[in-house]
Amino acid sequence: MTGRAAELCDVLQLCLTFATSGSADQQAAVILEGRAALDELRQLFAARQWPRVVRGGLPPGPHFLQLDDRALIGLLADTQDAYGELRARTRLLESRLRTCRELLEAAITAASDTPDLPEDDA
C-alpha cells in the first residue's frame, strides 16, 4: 500500500470514529472529509499502473534488463505470487471500504433524520 493510501485509510478510520459525535455541522464536516478520502482512495486504485515485462527486442540499459530464461521464469513466479497477494489485499480493502461507505451513509441518514436541537449556551 502506498503512503498516500495508508494516510487515506487513517482519515477514514478517524471519520468513522467521530462521525456520530459533535454537533450536526461537525458531523457533516467529518462525513464530507470521509467521502473525499474514500473518493481519492478509489481514484488511486483505479489509476494504479502495473509494470510490464517485455521479452526480447530491447537494448539493455538503465530501464531494461536482459534476462535469461531461468531468470524470466523466476520473475514470472515472483510476479504471480505478488499479484495473488495483492488481489487478496485488494479484496480485503474493498470490503473495508464498502463497510466504511455504509457507515458514512448511515451517519448521513441519521444526521439528516435528527431535528436540529438548540445548542446549550453554557
Side-chain angles (χ1 to χ4, degrees):
M1 183 181 301
T2 65
R4 183 63 184 151
E7 289 174 18
L8 292 170
C9 287
D10 290 342
V11 168
L12 284 171
Q13 182 64 44
L14 286 173
C15 288
L16 290 174
T17 302
F18 296 106
T20 57
S21 62
S23 69
D25 290 339
Q26 291 170 329
Q27 289 177 0
V30 167
I31 290 167
L32 286 175
E33 188 175 346
R35 278 187 167 174
L38 189 60
D39 288 342
E40 186 177 342
L41 194 56
R42 187 178 295 121
Q43 289 173 358
L44 278 176
F45 283 118
R48 174 86 167 118
Q49 295 203 1
W50 304 103
R52 295 182 184 184
V53 176
V54 180
R55 185 175 181 155
L58 296 173
H63 303 290
F64 301 101
L65 297 174
Q66 211 60 14
L67 302 176
D68 62 12
D69 285 343
R70 183 175 176 178
L72 284 171
I73 290 169
L75 178 62
L76 178 59
D78 290 345
T79 303
Q80 288 173 334
D81 291 345
Y83 179 68
E85 183 179 327
L86 181 63
R87 284 185 54 138
R89 287 183 180 182
T90 301
R91 282 192 297 271
L92 177 64
L93 185 58
E94 286 173 346
S95 171
R96 287 181 180 170
L97 288 175
R98 268 193 300 279
T99 301
C100 290
R101 182 179 182 181
E102 290 167 2
L103 290 171
L104 286 172
E105 288 174 354
I108 291 170
T109 302
S112 65
D113 290 345
T114 306
D116 290 334
L117 299 175
E119 293 185 18
D120 293 334
D121 292 336

